[in-house]
Amino acid sequence: YVNTLEVKEEDLVARIQAAIENKKEHIVYLKGDQDAPYGAIMKMMDALRKAQIDTVALITEKPGGAAAKAGGK
């Protein structure tokens, strides 16, 4: 998914680049649910690297379901 829209794996890099092309900062927030296979997250990280994204923030969920950025309080 890119911006909540499902994207085919072969289209990931182009869709990521299109999503950030007019952004001042090229920061991507990555969220995978608890059932996401580790390999799927690594494929996304690889696509981000190919799209020349240097800053990736991982989003986690606090116990109880409230979304929070990794490292946040």
Side-chain angles (χ1 to χ4, degrees), residues 15-57:
R15 290 293 297 271
I16 292 166
Q17 289 173 326
I20 64 158
E21 71 180 343
N22 293 322
K23 305 289 182 188
K24 185 176 183 178
E25 295 184 46
H26 293 175
I27 299 173
V28 171
Y29 295 91
L30 179 60
K31 180 180 179 184
D33 69 29
Q34 66 184 16
D35 297 324
Y38 180 78
I41 300 298
M42 293 313 298
K43 282 183 182 180
M44 180 57 78
M45 294 294 289
D46 188 48
L48 293 170
R49 205 172 14 258
K50 287 177 182 175
Q52 299 178 334
I53 303 298
D54 295 324
T55 306
V56 177

